[in-house]
Amino acid sequence: MNALQDSLIELIRRTSAEIPDDVRQAILDSLEREKKGTIAESAMKIIERNIALAKQKSQPICQDTGSILFYVDSPVGMDQMRFEDTACLAVKKATKLGYLRQNSVDSLTGINDGTNVGPGSPTFHFHQQRSDRINVRLVLKGGGCENVGAQYSLPNEKLKANRDLDGCRKAILDAVLQAQGRGCGPGILGVCIGGDRATGYEFSKRQFLRLIPDRNPVPELDTLEQDILKTANDLGIGPMGFGGRTTLLGVKICAINRLPASFFVSISYMCWAYRRLGVTLDAEGKIAGWLY
Amino acid sequence: MINLSFPFTEEKIRALNVRDEVALSGVVFTGRDAVHKYLHEGGRLPPGVSLRDGILYHCGPVVLKDEQGDWKVTAAGPTTSIREEPYQAQIIKDFGIRGVIGKGGMGDRTLAACKEFGCAYLHAVGGAAQVLAECIRKVRAVYFLEKFGSPEAIWELEVEDFPAVVTMDSKGHSLHREIFATSQAELAKHL
Ligand code: SF4
């Protein structure tokens, strides 16, 4: 079981210190796009330098190493409880090694025991697959951006948002407007249309497993994604809310069924420090390849 | 880029305008939730410590001791400032603070205090923990370490060329308010 633990520690180290290639490319593209000599350009330059420095020093990109979210595709019959125990040990060790900040607080007592392990931390999402490999994806999501997530229940009179795609669009753009200056933009939106309150947010976060340049296979959603991205960047909010051309780096939307009585639009916001990596493990738990 | 270095006089601060980029050199004091609440409730600073004409940094740094037993800051990005809005104006007034570094901006009461007492809000790049930690040359002292714990303690730091943007000046301008208004108006055209 030690091979698995070592693999997970390495996954945590790299996820905390290294931005995935697709995100880095999106950041470089937006740095190009910003007007030269503006404070937006300066902010993007600092972000770019920070990414390089963190990787070089193998130190956390941002000091808020975030909520620890594991997404695991496992072979039929894999012992999930054993996997969870091993992953918790890996998290504890990674915290001791400084890859993760002591970042998890007991909500009743306010005590931070410094391990990052406790009820709900880390979080596991298991899915079975017909293969003997295990895919483990890890997302570290900071608190500043989590705080600007929003859930809208349609219809919304104030926004004049009905229960249709145009209503969804209004809700999502309102969330972008309200999030400005907070949550360390430029950001990436993960959106879920439908579901109940809990699954809505869960599916919205799952969108962060997608690659930034990918395209949505559902034509209506693809159109909506491109439209929100363009419109948000036309608002002039810019990096850090300083004003500028890049407000968002990407928009990812999914739709799931809802009850006739409910129509939720759930929006999760990811900061520029978008930490998401994954590994494929062989039968012994060794890293066979990287997923991003 | 404006070099803003110690001493941080009222004159230098009042000369700053929204959108100015500054490179800050000199001493800054960290302070976040616990410190703000404590000072606002009438708590005293330790003997010999003064924030007069000083810079307050909303930051909970990660600080480790190296082999020689010296403090070393390994991550030092700003934290969200708006949480200190209930306290900030009073603290600017009572302690004579000239600059507040943070992220996300602050509200009307802080803006009014900046104008009345000669203070500016300096926005650092959120999340840039490594770049900003590199600007910290030395940890001069730490106060309230036992009382508040490491991230909430007051760290007295020597910084060099620490990059920030003036987003609230002492003339009553707030870049946050301005961008919110223009982006809201722009959005209305797209609906
Ligand atoms: S929102 Fe993201 S970049 Fe900003 S402080 Fe939190 S984790 Fe770091």
Side-chain angles (χ1 to χ4, degrees):
Chain A
M1 254 355 236
N2 260 340
L4 176 60
Q5 198 188 97
D6 291 346
S7 300
L8 294 177
I9 292 173
E10 177 61 4
L11 173 62
I12 295 168
R13 183 192 70 77
R14 276 194 67 179
T15 309
S16 175
E18 298 177 22
I19 288 272
D21 288 342
D22 60 314
V23 179
R24 202 175 110 80
Q25 192 53 52
I27 287 173
L28 290 175
D29 293 347
S30 73
L31 175 57
E32 278 295 299
R33 240 188 345 260
E34 288 301 339
K35 254 206 233 145
K36 306 297 159 232
T38 57
I39 50 180
E41 192 208 20
S42 297
M44 291 311 297
K45 275 190 183 155
I46 290 175
I47 287 172
E48 210 261 319
R49 198 144 57 85
N50 195 75
I51 290 171
L53 205 57
K55 182 171 178 180
Q56 178 205 324
K57 293 174 37 174
S58 187
Q59 290 267 351
I61 293 163
C62 176
Q63 67 214 348
D64 183 356
T65 51
S67 303
I68 305 159
L69 314 172
F70 282 105
Y71 296 87
V72 186
D73 305 321
S74 60
V76 178
M78 186 190 87
D79 185 341
Q80 295 185 350
M81 285 177 288
R82 220 163 111 193
F83 183 93
E84 284 194 20
D85 291 344
T86 309
C88 286
L89 284 175
V91 165
K92 283 186 183 172
K93 283 206 177 157
T95 308
K96 275 221 178 87
L97 290 165
Y99 306 154
L100 298 173
R101 179 172 78 172
Q102 301 181 350
N103 215 26
S104 183
V105 178
D106 184 308
S107 295
L108 294 182
T109 62
I111 290 170
N112 180 343
D113 74 2
T115 65
N116 277 324
V117 174
S121 177
T123 303
F124 297 95
H125 303 268
F126 286 104
H127 280 269
Q128 290 194 335
Q129 62 175 9
R130 294 200 189 283
S131 152
D132 59 357
R133 296 239 153 152
I134 307 176
N135 292 335
V136 187
R137 292 176 170 83
L138 174 62
V139 175
L140 300 175
K141 187 166 187 305
C145 59
E146 183 65 6
N147 290 346
V148 300
Q151 191 167 56
Y152 294 81
S153 175
L154 302 188
N156 180 311
E157 234 186 317
K158 205 173 128 230
L159 299 177
K160 298 198 185 69
N162 297 310
R163 290 180 153 197
D164 50 27
L165 274 184
D166 184 60
C168 296
R169 178 178 183 270
K170 284 179 175 148
I172 298 166
L173 287 170
D174 184 64
V176 173
L177 183 74
Q178 302 301 333
Q180 70 178 272
R182 304 179 290 140
C184 297
I188 296 89
L189 296 187
V191 180
C192 175
I193 298 171
D196 62 36
R197 288 189 186 272
T199 50
Y201 267 132
E202 199 208 317
F203 275 77
S204 73
K205 285 218 170 70
R206 192 173 283 279
Q207 297 304 302
F208 296 134
L209 301 177
R210 290 172 54 189
L211 289 169
I212 289 194
D214 79 356
R215 296 296 291 257
N216 200 312
V218 182
E220 300 94 307
L221 294 180
D222 185 56
T223 306
L224 188 59
E225 287 180 359
Q226 303 305 320
D227 171 35
I228 300 273
L229 182 62
K230 183 173 180 316
T231 309
N233 288 338
D234 283 346
L235 299 183
I237 293 168
M240 294 292 134
F242 287 169
R245 292 173 178 163
T246 317
T247 302
L248 293 179
L249 298 170
V251 181
K252 304 290 158 194
I253 306 175
C254 71
I256 59 176
N257 280 15
R258 59 181 175 83
L259 294 180
S262 306
F263 198 125
F264 295 114
V265 181
S266 310
I267 298 143
S268 289
Y269 186 100
M270 177 65 95
C271 55
W272 67 260
Y274 181 173
R275 287 151 292 178
R276 170 251 288 141
L277 286 178
V279 287
T280 298
L281 303 175
D282 65 17
E284 284 149 45
K286 290 210 186 82
I287 295 174
W290 290 83
L291 293 168
Y292 292 101
Chain B
M1 182 71 78
I2 296 170
N3 285 312
L4 187 63
S5 46
F6 187 82
F8 308 109
T9 59
E10 178 164 3
E11 196 192 351
K12 284 186 199 170
I13 296 296
R14 289 219 181 256
L16 295 174
N17 291 301
V18 153
R19 288 194 167 81
D20 282 346
E21 288 185 63
V22 298
L24 201 92
S25 300
V27 174
V28 306
F29 296 86
T30 68
R32 45 183 291 165
D33 309 76
V35 168
H36 281 79
K37 182 162 173 286
Y38 170 81
L39 294 179
H40 190 257
E41 285 170 353
R44 297 246 208 106
L45 290 166
V49 181
S50 168
L51 297 178
R52 193 145 300 277
D53 292 339
I55 307 273
L56 186 63
Y57 182 17
H58 294 158
C59 170
V62 181
V63 193
L64 302 173
K65 264 204 174 129
D66 66 14
E67 299 88 56
Q68 285 88 45
D70 294 328
W71 293 112
K72 179 112 189 60
V73 177
T74 60
T79 188
T80 303
S81 298
I82 196 70
R83 293 196 307 271
E84 318 310 344
E85 181 65 12
Y87 318 115
Q88 200 68 78
Q90 189 72 34
I91 290 174
I92 289 171
K93 176 174 179 235
D94 290 352
F95 293 88
I97 288 163
R98 289 279 169 236
V100 174
I101 310 174
K103 69 160 176 160
M106 301 193 73
D108 289 342
R109 269 184 292 166
T110 301
L111 188 62
C114 284
K115 190 171 178 184
E116 189 173 352
F117 304 108
C119 181
Y121 181 82
L122 309 167
H123 199 303
V125 171
Q130 296 304 328
V131 167
L132 298 178
E134 293 261 299
C135 301
I136 295 170
R137 286 296 128 90
K138 200 175 151 199
V139 176
R140 288 166 56 119
V142 57
Y143 312 102
F144 299 131
L145 185 58
E146 275 81 51
K147 193 179 170 89
F148 297 141
S150 174
E152 296 277 347
I154 296 181
W155 293 89
E156 185 178 333
L157 308 172
E158 215 170 282
V159 304
E160 198 180 316
D161 292 333
F162 184 103
V165 175
V166 179
T167 57
M168 293 161 63
D169 62 22
S170 59
K171 297 158 190 172
H173 301 300
S174 162
L175 184 64
H176 309 284
R177 219 162 54 183
E178 188 188 307
I179 303 273
F180 193 90
T182 53
S183 58
Q184 195 173 31
E186 189 62 33
L187 178 57
K189 291 188 214 156
H190 286 82
L191 292 180

